[in-house]
Amino acid sequence: MQAAVRAAAAAGQGVRVVATGHSFTPVHLTDGTLLDLDNLRGVLGIDAASGRARALPGTTIGDLGDPLWEAGLALANQGDIDTQCIAGAIGTATHGSGISLTSISGWLRRCRLVTGGGDVVEIDETQPDLLAAAQVAVGMLGVMTEVEIQTVPAYRLVERIEHWSFDELIGQFDARVARHRHFSSWWCPTEQSPGLYGLTMEPGKPGADACYVKLYDEAPADLPDSATPRRRVDRSYRIYPDVFEPNFHELEYFVRYERAAEALGAMRELMLASQPDAIFPLEIRTVAADTAYLSPQYETPTLVLSVSGQPGADYWPYLRSVDRLLGGEFGARVHWGKLHFLTAEQLHERYPQAQAFIDIRRRLDPDGVFLNDHLRPLFA
Ligand SMILES: Cc1cc2nc3c(=O)[nH]c(=O)nc-3n(C[C@H](O)[C@H](O)[C@H](O)COP(=O)(O)OP(=O)(O)OC[C@H]3O[C@@H](n4cnc5c(N)ncnc54)[C@H](O)[C@@H]3O)c2cc1C
C-alpha cells in the first residue's frame, strides 16, 4: 500500500480508493491509481468490555453483525443497506435514522492511514482535531488500512410498517421522532412511486400523496422473534437492511432539525406542483449531531431528505430545483456519497470547520495525491 501510494505520487499521479462503489458521486474517479481493498476484509478483534471493535477497511456493515452479536454487541444504527464497506461508510458519513443516533462516522475512535507521502499514521482520541477530520474524510486524508469503532450492547428491534397521510406525518413528526429509536418515512408523490422502491402500501389505501412509515423500537426481552410481515421482531442487524433494485440516482440533503416541518412542506409542494419527473419517493430521516468537521450533522441534529432520478433520464433540472430550495432557502448540507451541487463558497458557509479540515488535509497530503477532479474544486 505504501509503495503503491509512493509510486503514484512520484509519477505525479493521483490515488483514490474504491470500497464497494455505492457512492453516486464521482468520489472514486482518478486517471492515476485506483486501489481496491476488497482483500482487506475481516474483523480483527472485539473488546466486549469497552464495546470497541477493530476491523479491516473492506469489512462490510453486514460482516459485522454476527461477530458483534456473539460478543453481546451491535452497531448503534444502520442505513438502508448493509453492503457498504466500513471505511466507505465512515468516509461519507453514512447514516440510518434516529434523532439520538449519529452517523457511522461518529463511531470512529481510531484509524490507521497511509498518507500522501506513503507514511503510516495512527489517529485516535488523543488527537481530537485529526480524529474530527478523519471521521468524514471522503478518502482525502489517506488510505485507511484499519479502523476501530465504538459499538453498543446488543439489542433486538420490533418493526412496525404503517401507512399514513402526509398530514398525519407532519402532525406527529416531532413526537414520533422523539419517541422511536428509528422513525423514517417514504412520502410517495404518485401511485407509481411506491413500486419504484419496492414499497408495499396497504391495500385499498391511496399510494399517491401517502407515506410508508417505518417505526423501530427496542424489543422487550420477553417478546419472541417473529417473521410476520410489517411486524417483525429480530436482531437489530437483521431488521435494518432493505432490498433495493439499483434503479435510481440519489441526491440527499440535510436540513437543521428545527426547520423540519417547514422543509417537508416545501419539498411536497415542489414535487407535486412543478416537477413532473419527481416520481421516486422522498425519503425522510433524522440523524443526531456530531463533531466531525465535514459531517452534515456538525454540531446540529438534522432532518435528512433524499430524492432520486431514473438512470438514463434527464433528472438534472429536478435535482437542481431541489438544490435551490434546500440549499438556497434552508442552507442544507450534502451527503458526500450522493449527487449534489455544492460550491466552494457554499462549503465554507455551511460547514464551519471546512477550513480546519482543509488545513489537516494539506498537512497529511501536501501534494494533493488523494484529490480528484470532483474534490479538488472544494478541498484543494
Ligand atoms: C442502494 C443504496 C442505498 C444506500 N443507503 C444509504 C443509507 O441508508 N444511508 C446513507 O447515508 N447512505 C446510503 N447510501 C450511500 C452509501 O452508503 C455511501 O455512498 C457509502 O460511502 C458507500 O460505501 P462504499 O463502501 O460503497 O464506499 P465507496 O462508495 O466505494 O467509497 C466512499 C468514499 O470512501 C472512500 N474510501 C473507501 N474506502 C476507503 C479506505 N480504505 N480509505 C480511505 N478512503 C476510503 C472512497 O474513496 C470514497 O471517497 C446508499 C447507496 C446505495 C447505492
Side-chain angles (χ1 to χ4, degrees):
M1 187 81 63
Q2 291 174 268
V5 173
R6 284 189 181 131
Q13 292 183 339
V15 176
R16 293 297 295 160
V17 185
V18 63
T20 60
H22 275 82
S23 294
F24 298 94
T25 39
V27 280
H28 324 100
L29 292 191
T30 176
D31 50 10
T33 300
L34 183 64
L35 295 172
D36 178 348
L37 305 187
D38 213 27
N39 288 336
L40 288 183
R41 182 169 175 172
V43 176
L44 297 172
I46 296 175
D47 180 17
S50 67
R52 297 285 175 95
R54 289 184 304 117
L56 291 169
T59 311
T60 68
I61 303 296
D63 289 340
L64 290 159
D66 283 332
L68 286 177
W69 186 267
E70 280 153 25
L73 299 169
L75 299 177
N77 203 0
Q78 291 183 215
D80 289 340
I81 56 170
D82 65 358
T83 46
Q84 309 100 323
C85 294
I86 186 71
I90 289 170
T92 57
T94 289
H95 59 86
S97 191
I99 199 70
S100 59
L101 301 168
T102 70
S103 78
I104 290 175
S105 301
W107 314 336
L108 184 72
R109 296 291 179 269
R110 186 181 64 80
C111 64
R112 185 173 297 154
L113 284 177
V114 176
T115 65
D119 301 318
V120 175
V121 298
E122 294 261 350
I123 295 177
D124 63 22
E125 290 159 288
T126 63
Q127 308 140 290
D129 56 338
L130 290 178
L131 188 62
Q135 281 174 325
V136 185
V138 205
M140 289 184 281
L141 300 189
V143 184
M144 270 187 195
T145 54
E146 187 181 317
V147 301
E148 181 173 314
I149 56 169
Q150 182 66 51
T151 67
V152 300
Y155 58 101
R156 293 183 311 131
L157 289 173
V158 189
E159 172 191 64
R160 274 189 298 146
I161 305 293
E162 299 191 352
H163 187 133
W164 295 4
S165 69
F166 186 78
D167 286 346
E168 283 175 301
L169 182 82
I170 293 292
Q172 304 186 42
F173 199 76
D174 286 337
R176 294 302 192 133
V177 164
R179 189 194 314 169
H180 299 287
R181 182 183 180 98
H182 169 119
F183 173 66
S184 70
S185 175
W186 274 286
W187 172 70
C188 298
T190 69
E191 288 292 340
Q192 182 190 355
S193 305
L196 293 170
Y197 279 165
L199 307 173
T200 309
M201 304 298 270
E202 279 179 33
K205 290 194 176 177
D209 199 5
C211 300
Y212 179 98
V213 177
K214 295 201 304 193
L215 307 151
Y216 300 163
D217 290 296
E218 280 187 38
D222 58 355
L223 188 68
D225 285 354
S226 160
T228 307
R230 303 168 93 88
R231 293 287 183 276
R232 291 177 302 157
V233 181
D234 208 337
R235 299 175 186 183
S236 56
Y237 62 94
R238 293 177 180 163
I239 294 285
Y240 284 122
D242 285 318
V243 177
F244 282 99
E245 289 298 319
N247 65 343
F248 59 96
H249 288 167
E250 195 175 9
L251 167 151
E252 183 168 279
Y253 278 24
F254 300 82
V255 171
R256 286 176 176 276
Y257 183 75
E258 68 220 32
R259 299 191 68 188
E262 203 186 336
L264 283 167
M267 275 301 295
R268 174 174 176 268
E269 193 179 313
L270 176 137
M271 291 170 72
L272 288 183
S274 62
Q275 295 298 324
D277 288 344
I279 54 169
F280 278 89
L282 168 72
E283 190 173 13
I284 301 161
R285 293 182 279 184
T286 60
V287 186
D290 65 32
T291 53
Y293 289 164
L294 290 189
S295 168
Q297 286 78 40
Y298 179 77
E299 291 193 339
T300 181
T302 59
L303 171 76
V304 189
L305 295 171
S306 321
V307 297
S308 291
Q310 193 140 27
D314 179 14
Y315 46 71
W316 293 108
Y318 165 43
L319 298 191
R320 280 203 176 276
S321 71
V322 175
D323 173 70
R324 275 195 299 277
L325 175 68
L326 296 181
E329 291 183 29
F330 292 88
R333 297 176 184 162
V334 306
H335 192 303
W336 298 113
K338 302 192 184 181
L339 302 175
H340 66 79
F341 301 92
L342 199 74
T343 64
E345 193 184 353
Q346 292 166 346
L347 171 77
H348 289 274
E349 282 166 10
R350 299 180 199 170
Y351 296 76
Q353 295 295 349
Q355 193 56 49
F357 175 84
I358 292 170
D359 292 344
I360 287 172
R361 190 205 66 67
R362 289 178 180 154
R363 256 164 60 201
L364 295 181
D365 181 22
D367 296 328
V369 171
F370 296 114
L371 294 178
N372 66 7
D373 291 347
H374 172 69
L375 297 165
R376 199 171 291 107
L378 294 172
F379 299 106

